Amino acid sequence: MTKLTEQEKQELLTDAASISRRRDFEKLQVNTRVLTPEQYLDFLSWAGTFMKEKHLDRPPVEGVFLL
């Protein structure tokens, strides 16, 4: 795992202390709604119409990928 530089650490701490940033995250929580499985499938079907890549054009995923 990559270690953060001192500058990156400071940027994260500054961002975490930002009142406006906290308000932005609060807005995200307020504006959320839970979709039913049917609504989620409708969304995926709608979003899929914008995807131009065909899954057969991509090579298969090989190896182990850990997030």
Side-chain angles (χ1 to χ4, degrees):
M1 183 171 176
T2 305
K3 291 191 176 191
L4 296 175
T5 65
E6 289 303 316
Q7 179 182 352
E8 291 169 327
K9 289 178 187 177
Q10 190 58 43
E11 288 174 356
L12 286 171
L13 291 172
T14 302
D15 191 45
S18 169
I19 293 173
S20 65
R21 186 68 147 176
R22 289 174 188 242
R23 286 187 190 131
D24 290 340
F25 276 99
E26 286 173 5
K27 287 179 188 175
L28 290 174
Q29 290 177 344
V30 169
N31 293 330
T32 60
R33 68 181 176 118
V34 177
L35 298 178
T36 66
E38 292 81 14
Q39 290 171 322
Y40 185 60
L41 288 174
D42 287 342
F43 166 75
L44 291 177
S45 297
W46 171 81
T49 62
F50 297 102
M51 297 180 189
K52 305 290 184 204
E53 181 183 41
K54 295 178 184 171
H55 72 280
L56 297 174
D57 294 342
R58 284 183 271 130
V61 176
E62 297 177 3
V64 177
F65 293 88
L66 302 174
L67 298 178

